[in-house]
Amino acid sequence: MVRKMGFYAVLAFCLYGLFFYWYLFYLADPKLPFEYQGTKADPATFLNGRELMLSEEYSKIRNLLFFLSTPFEWLFYFLILLFGFSRVFKRWAESSAKYKFLQTPIYLIWLSFFAFLATLPLNYISYSLSKTYHISTQTFPSWMKDELIDFWLNYGTWLIIVPVLYWLMKKSQKRWWLYGWLLSIPFTLFMMFLQPVVIDPLYNDFYPLKNKELETKILALAEKAHIPAQHVFEVNMADKTNSLNAYVTGIGSNARIVLWDTTLNKLTDDQILFIMAHEMCHYVEKHIYWGIAGYLLISLLGLYLTYRFMNWTVKRWGKELKISDVRDIRSLPLFFMIISMLLFAASPLTNLASRYQETRADRYAIEMTKNPEAAITSFQELTRSGLSQVKPPLLVKIFRYTHPSMLDRISMLEEYQIKNGK
Ligand SMILES: [Zn+2]
């Protein structure tokens, strides 16, 4: 029975992968609708033949990797349970820990370590692909260092969450999801507060803008939007990537706007001011707080569903998956698997909300800078430097796009340009 279930799970994963391969490489039509051909959103008007070909090719492979990686995680956790590895990790933890309180950290390190090993090949493929297409400029040691920081950061986070979670399960078999959710509120806010000052600097260097002339222009714009000057930062990314980006992060006194130095190196001042005005909208409209509120709301439902699914699974398949009791740490891979499935299932909704905020930010930015030519060319440059797809296939847009497609973004700007005669 166990081997049969394992076989079917692997088979299902392969069929799923084949479906997406067929969908992305054969079914999805990259051609632009007729009315967009020849417009400023048409990549044929601003990319050369080689860039066009590369961007299609690169996006297809990246999209495939995206759709494979999350279900691969589910498969991993499922097989860990099915073949009794979770039970083995627990036994190792029991036999090597002198004190009982060390058992969970040891169990967790084994599970994290194997999960890290299992996902490493896909992560490496993704990195080396990005390097082949000259998007990533990161050296292998630097990439590996980031992977290891990821590992320890995740381990540290789960080391705080997991013991509390299983303690709650033991205290209240029926309400642990609710108490867990209540505790997650201050925890989430605290992590969001620490993110820009403690976590992000582990990966990159952050500093005030180096170009003082540009800084003066940006701060003048920031003043117009009532953003304090000390909240604008530059980050050193040129050692890692060729692509361009800027973002808003942190809450409270740690809220800040961050510009990648690649963006500053490759765009003109007017283009940078448009990108900056876009970020300012996120800042002044407090999109991060809306995001946190939405996320907390969804996670309440998510934790309740996890509670229900875990109970159901252990009751129905407990024997095969070697979990006799939900409250036993051996059920942790099941918890991770269900959480990951729910997050994936919720992503069309969270992406939709994010795209709404992004559209607002684009509108705000063009109203503030009133320079559609700079705005359009900055998006064209963003497309070129990241070899991104202007018009992604529908499923890619639904599951992957936190921003509107470049087709939508550039078209909106072009409409503004025509309407305002600029
Ligand atoms: Zn944005």
Side-chain angles (χ1 to χ4, degrees), residues 104-147:
T104 304
I106 295 176
Y107 171 90
L108 204 54
I109 197 106
W110 282 117
L111 183 63
S112 310
F113 176 66
F114 279 92
F116 178 77
L117 281 190
T119 49
L120 196 62
L122 262 183
N123 290 348
Y124 178 76
I125 291 173
S126 175
Y127 158 72
S128 72
L129 177 79
S130 168
K131 210 140 184 207
T132 311
Y133 284 83
H134 301 290
I135 305 297
S136 171
T137 53
Q138 202 173 6
T139 60
F140 179 77
S142 158
W143 174 78
M144 201 60 222
K145 186 182 150 211
D146 282 358
E147 289 288 304

Side-chain angles (χ1 to χ4, degrees), residues 278-279 282 358 361 403:
H278 169 106
E279 300 307 328
H282 290 313
E358 296 300 336
H403 290 65

Side-chain angles (χ1 to χ4, degrees), residues 12-21 24-25 60-76 119 122 125 344:
F13 179 74
C14 292
L15 288 175
Y16 162 89
L18 278 175
F19 166 77
F20 267 100
Y21 175 73
L24 294 167
F25 284 78
K60 275 179 190 164
I61 309 175
R62 276 216 81 95
N63 289 336
L64 183 63
L65 285 175
F66 167 81
F67 279 108
L68 289 181
S69 60
T70 311
F72 180 78
E73 224 176 86
W74 311 341
L75 182 69
F76 168 78
T119 49
L122 262 183
I125 291 173
F344 191 72

Side-chain angles (χ1 to χ4, degrees), residues 31-43:
K31 254 229 277 341
L32 286 191
F34 176 74
E35 64 270 30
Y36 292 105
Q37 285 176 20
T39 65
K40 287 176 178 162
D42 182 351

